[in-house]
Amino acid sequence: MSGVRRPPLAEGVLPGLLGYRLRLAQQAVFRDFAKSVPGMSPGQVGLLVLIDANPGVTQSRLAEALQRDRSTMVGVLDRLQAKGLLERRRGSDRRTNGLWLTPAGRRALGRALERIAGHERRIAARLSATERRELLRLLGRISD
Amino acid sequence: MSGVRRPPLAEGVLPGLLGYRLRLAQQAVFRDFAKSVPGMSPGQVGLLVLIDANPGVTQSRLAEALQRDRSTMVGVLDRLQAKGLLERRRGSDRRTNGLWLTPAGRRALGRALERIAGHERRIAARLSATERRELLRLLGRISD
DNA sequence: TATTGTTATACTCTATAACTATA
DNA sequence: TATAGTTATAGAGTATAACAATA
């Protein structure tokens, strides 16, 4: 057994900080996501959605949209391509790669989005519809 | 020049997802934090606050509170100790290390918290006092 | 036997600098 | 000259498995 009764840690100034509370919420959401959508991260699903909604988009445009360095995209895309979820096709400007989901990628994305529906229900389980809308609005005021 | 006029990327289903909007907000906050508190991450400051508020806390207790593996703490604490910000002292249960901030650690934490005050003002700049409180409350409903 | 800290190892995400091929 | 993608390299943060010291 492990009923070892330890007083909870004092959190000092942290609970008053918006950044800290946001980080805690994000970590809780991340843990539920990992259980709900095994084998894919929020970032990976986000990338697949972006490519699906912008077929032929280049790596650089994606990097710009995500505020990441070009070189960061290479490995991230390599991993998704290695799983057979996307293709790089050389563009008419032959410096560029256009990105497309493969049929397997579209199927995997569809399955992930089904799982995410349940995940979203769980994380918002303790919010009313009004509160959920209000939370989205307030988060928007922070992200610009 | 780079006035290259590109249509913004379509975001597909993402903007309707609470998890996505939370992640965007968190990333925006993280970027401002990095500019505001150079050389320290939110996680590192959080750890220093926890040790400051719980002097002598063991690595295992910290790992448990942060929901991280024991082995994860080793490297994280090594880095802060290498910067001279904390000490490990062997406990009376000689399997344990008690953790304490050094004087330099307390000074560094004080400086970081001063910077964080400005950071917090900036990220909440577009929220009224009421909205800020409401956001904290709603985030709490998500983190448990 | 169980717990604490550690090591060895591995993987993801991130960046900077330098290279290549194209434009 | 400038841009797109890549490589080499580095560092933080995360995990699992196994080990030594201690309880």
Side-chain angles (χ1 to χ4, degrees), chain A residues 27-45:
Chain A
Q27 286 176 4
V29 168
F30 188 88
R31 277 190 292 272
D32 188 272
F33 189 101
K35 275 186 311 182
S36 308
V37 191
M40 237 183 297
S41 69
Q44 288 179 323
V45 174

Side-chain angles (χ1 to χ4, degrees), chain A residues 6-7 9-10 16 18-19 21 25-26 31 54 61 64 67 120 126 131-132 136-137 141 143, chain B residues 6-7 10 16 18-19 21 25-27 31 54 61 64 67-68 120 126 131-132 136-137 141 143:
Chain A
R6 268 166 307 212
L9 283 195
L18 193 47
R21 302 280 288 265
Q26 218 257 294
R31 277 190 292 272
N54 304 274
R61 290 225 40 218
E64 181 188 42
Q67 301 184 247
E120 283 277 318
R126 300 173 56 207
E131 286 175 326
R132 182 179 182 282
L136 287 178
R137 185 182 76 81
R141 306 280 293 175
S143 323
Chain B
R6 269 166 306 209
L18 193 48
R21 303 280 288 266
Q26 217 257 295
Q27 286 175 3
R31 277 190 291 273
N54 303 274
R61 288 258 293 136
E64 180 186 42
Q67 301 184 248
R68 297 288 178 273
E120 283 276 320
R126 302 172 55 207
E131 286 175 326
R132 182 179 182 283
L136 286 178
R137 186 182 76 81
R141 307 278 294 175
S143 324

Side-chain angles (χ1 to χ4, degrees), chain A residues 3 23 56 78 100 104 117 119:
Chain A
R23 198 154 68 89
D78 281 353
W100 275 268
H119 160 68

Side-chain angles (χ1 to χ4, degrees), chain B residues 76-125:
Chain B
V76 172
L77 293 170
D78 281 352
R79 283 183 284 276
L80 291 169
Q81 188 172 28
K83 290 204 260 183
L85 304 184
L86 60 82
E87 287 185 298
R88 289 161 155 118
R89 289 189 213 150
R90 166 169 258 188
S92 53
D93 174 340
R94 301 202 332 283
R95 292 171 303 185
T96 64
N97 288 335
L99 301 169
W100 275 267
L101 295 193
T102 61
R106 274 186 293 275
R107 284 194 302 273
L109 177 55
R111 282 191 304 271
L113 290 176
E114 283 168 21
R115 303 299 200 94
I116 286 173
H119 159 68
E120 283 276 320
R121 244 182 290 113
R122 268 189 301 284
I123 66 180

Side-chain angles (χ1 to χ4, degrees), chain A residues 82-117:
Chain A
K83 291 204 258 182
L85 305 184
L86 60 83
E87 288 185 298
R88 289 161 155 117
R89 290 190 212 149
R90 168 170 256 187
S92 53
D93 175 340
R94 302 206 325 287
R95 291 170 303 184
T96 64
N97 288 336
L99 302 170
W100 275 268
L101 294 194
T102 61
R106 275 186 293 276
R107 284 193 302 273
L109 177 55
R111 281 191 304 272
L113 291 176
E114 283 169 21
R115 303 299 200 94
I116 285 173

